[in-house]
Structures are given as C-alpha cells and as structure tokens.
Amino acid sequence: MKAFAEPIAEKKNIELYADENISSLKYSEVVGNMLYVKRILYNVVHNALKYSPEGTEIHCSAEAKAHGGRINCKVKISDEGIGISQEFQNNMFDAYTQENRQVDPWANGQGLGLYVAKQLLEKIGGTIAVYSAVDLGTIVTVTMSFDIA
C-alpha cells in the first residue's frame, strides 16, 4: 500500500498514518487470494486519497487474530475528505456510479472502486462497511478471513 499511497499523499500534503496490530501472530502463511486483497485495499485507500483535500489526514489500521485455524482480519481506513451524502450511500456500491464531488481534476474515475471492492470481498467471504458524512469524511471497514496454512 505504501508504494502507491505515499507519493500521492505527499503531492497532496496529506498525512498518511498506518497502524498494524498483527505482530502477535505466529503464522507466516495463510491461504487466500492476495491479488484480491491488494485490489480491495488499493481501491479503498485510493478513494480516501482521491476525495481528501490538501492538508488532511488518512488513518489506516489493520488487526489480525487467529481463531479456530483461521486468521480474521479487519482493516479500517478513515479520512477527513469530502464524505458521501446520505442520498448517494444507497448507490455507492453500484457499478459506474459516482457522486461527482471531486476534489482534484486528476481524480476522475469510472465509478468502479467500491463496486469492485465489494464484489471481490463477496468472492472471498469478506465484508465492507462504509460510514460517511458530507464534509466530515469517511470510514471504511473491511473484514476478511483466511485459513492458516
């Protein structure tokens, strides 16, 4: 995540904070589609960067706990961006939909970020929850579970 996120954050003067609470896990291998996981997290973090104005903060946290032969992961990304209106939240997971409240002209997209993230999460048995308010920001929580190899 850092490889793509830090240059964008620096360009926009956005403080990017990451906190991982996974050091207590002793398992180095899990069974899952890491390409899906990377795409999910890329889409969510990219949206936070895209819709956050200069001088704001983005916080990313990850927790992973082993339970019954599986590792349960929760990733939370919160921003101080423009937020999503209540009216649009009913459609935010639809393909090719955007609220069209861009912060930067370079940030135009196709309206697929949250749609793709949700579709991939459903394929791996994960979930996504979005809490947002206009001009206050957005919190996206992604949960996933993987078998321990």
Side-chain angles (χ1 to χ4, degrees):
M1 177 183 82
K2 283 185 171 185
F4 89 89
E6 284 181 345
I8 298 170
E10 284 179 25
K11 182 177 181 179
K12 292 184 70 175
N13 192 29
I14 293 174
E15 290 291 331
L16 186 62
Y17 298 97
D19 177 32
E20 298 175 352
N21 186 14
I22 58 175
S23 60
S24 63
L25 293 176
K26 298 175 185 162
Y27 309 100
S28 60
E29 294 185 24
V30 295
V31 178
N33 190 324
M34 290 305 119
L35 182 60
Y36 283 9
V37 172
K38 287 179 182 181
R39 172 51 58 187
I40 292 161
L41 297 179
Y42 173 88
N43 285 3
V44 173
V45 172
H46 191 260
N47 275 354
L49 289 163
K50 187 183 339 185
Y51 295 107
S52 292
E54 185 174 328
T56 57
E57 295 180 357
I58 296 173
H59 294 263
C60 305
S61 65
E63 290 181 21
K65 296 179 182 175
H67 178 70
R70 294 183 62 80
I71 292 182
N72 301 313
C73 302
K74 179 167 73 170
V75 179
K76 183 166 38 170
I77 294 96
S78 61
D79 66 55
E80 298 173 337
I82 62 173
I84 304 168
S85 71
Q86 285 292 87
E87 298 79 25
F88 187 74
Q89 287 182 33
N90 294 327
N91 305 97
M92 67 184 164
F93 293 112
D94 295 346
Y96 303 106
T97 58
Q98 287 183 302
E99 192 169 15
N100 294 321
R101 295 176 53 243
Q102 300 287 353
V103 173
D104 294 314
W106 68 267
N108 288 331
Q110 300 298 316
L112 290 171
L114 287 176
Y115 170 78
V116 168
K118 185 173 184 190
Q119 296 301 309
L120 294 176
L121 279 161
E122 287 176 356
K123 287 181 185 238
I124 63 173
T127 62
I128 185 169
V130 179
Y131 302 94
S132 189
V134 171
D135 297 329
L136 294 177
T138 302
I139 300 170
V140 177
T141 304
V142 173
T143 57
M144 302 169 278
S145 185
F146 305 98
D147 290 327
I148 298 169

